[in-house]
Amino acid sequence: MVSAVNTNKTDKESIERYRRREFLPYRYNQLWRIESGMVRTVTWGLDGQVFVLGLWSTGDIIGQYLSGTEECQLECLSSVVVCRLPFSYHCHRGELLSYLRRTKKLLQISQMRSVSDRLNHFLGYFAQQFGIETSDGFLLTIHLTHQDIADVTNSSRVTITRLMGKLHQQGRIGWRREKRKRFLIVRSSVVQTLTHRSMLTTG
């Protein structure tokens, strides 16, 4: 069920709400601004394999044509509130550069040889991009299933479940329970190590 409410800015903008696992309507020239929640850009191979082209959250501008292909969709990974932008809206240079950098980062992660490396680097990226820094590490309030992570890291759900268990035993990730919900915590040391490696690689 989609609900739309006109904003005060212009009658060409509207606020719309979508449930988890729903897709934003397919309009190639349409841009959306995420007000809350998380959306992923996905496409599919000939064998039906899912390829994740991007992960986006509050404040991000998204749309099919930003991905450079019509063969993709925007799937909600949580309850999502988006603002439908007018067709006259043009992305700023900074928005485009941020979109390209983040798409490139996920591509680089998916191309790493080791599944373990792909998982570690993805968790570090996700924590930095979307986590809340606390004394325990980076708190991730947006829930990703093991299948969601497997899709990003070009792996299987079974493998990700096994590796996540190993990371927990090593103390590299943890969990926090709040109001009957369980949130993932990526330890700060993990993020710092991966950031240092990235600087050495690009430096």
Side-chain angles (χ1 to χ4, degrees):
M1 180 77 64
V2 178
S3 61
V5 180
N6 286 336
T7 66
N8 294 324
K9 295 181 180 180
T10 169
D11 59 3
K12 292 185 179 181
E13 288 191 6
S14 64
I15 295 295
E16 301 181 2
R17 293 172 172 81
Y18 295 87
R19 297 191 182 101
R20 186 172 181 267
R21 297 304 177 189
E22 286 188 322
F23 292 90
L24 300 190
Y26 183 86
R27 299 183 181 93
Y28 184 69
N29 291 322
Q30 179 67 62
L31 290 176
W32 316 78
R33 182 178 64 246
I34 302 177
E35 302 298 320
S36 66
M38 172 160 283
V39 177
R40 70 176 184 175
T41 307
V42 294
T43 189
W44 292 267
L46 296 177
D47 58 355
Q49 181 181 357
V50 175
F51 294 98
V52 180
L53 304 179
L55 293 170
W56 320 103
S57 191
T58 305
D60 290 329
I61 306 297
I62 58 175
Q64 278 91 347
Y65 91 88
L66 285 175
S67 301
T69 176
E70 296 186 22
E71 304 299 325
C72 68
Q73 289 188 327
L74 302 170
E75 181 184 9
C76 301
L77 292 181
S78 67
S79 297
V80 169
V81 178
V82 292
C83 176
R84 183 200 301 264
L85 298 175
F87 288 109
S88 59
Y89 183 88
H90 294 286
C91 287
H92 301 297
R93 183 172 180 271
E95 293 171 337
L96 292 173
L97 289 176
S98 176
Y99 191 97
L100 291 172
R101 280 197 298 266
R102 289 164 62 180
T103 300
K104 179 182 177 182
K105 182 63 177 179
L106 285 188
L107 178 61
Q108 290 174 330
I109 291 173
S110 69
Q111 296 301 309
M112 292 179 177
R113 291 187 178 183
S114 166
V115 177
S116 180
D117 283 345
R118 295 199 294 270
L119 175 59
N120 276 279
H121 279 80
F122 171 71
L123 291 176
Y125 164 80
F126 195 79
Q128 281 188 308
Q129 193 68 50
F130 305 108
I132 301 171
E133 191 167 7
T134 70
S135 59
D136 295 327
F138 287 82
L139 177 67
L140 306 180
T141 59
I142 299 177
H143 174 68
L144 294 184
T145 67
H146 286 181
Q147 185 60 58
D148 292 331
I149 298 174
D151 291 340
V152 177
T153 56
N154 191 24
S155 183
S156 69
R157 180 188 58 80
V158 173
T159 299
I160 293 301
T161 298
R162 176 177 58 81
L163 291 177
M164 290 288 283
K166 186 175 181 180
L167 289 175
H168 184 249
Q169 291 176 349
Q170 295 172 343
R172 296 170 65 83
I173 63 173
W175 302 95
R176 176 184 294 181
R177 290 189 178 275
E178 294 182 5
K179 297 180 180 179
R180 298 183 180 180
K181 292 184 178 180
R182 189 173 75 158
F183 299 108
L184 178 66
I185 294 177
V186 179
R187 303 303 182 192
S188 299
S189 58
V190 175
V191 177
Q192 292 168 359
T193 299
L194 295 176
T195 301
H196 180 65
R197 289 179 182 175
S198 178
M199 291 176 62
L200 291 177
T201 302
T202 58

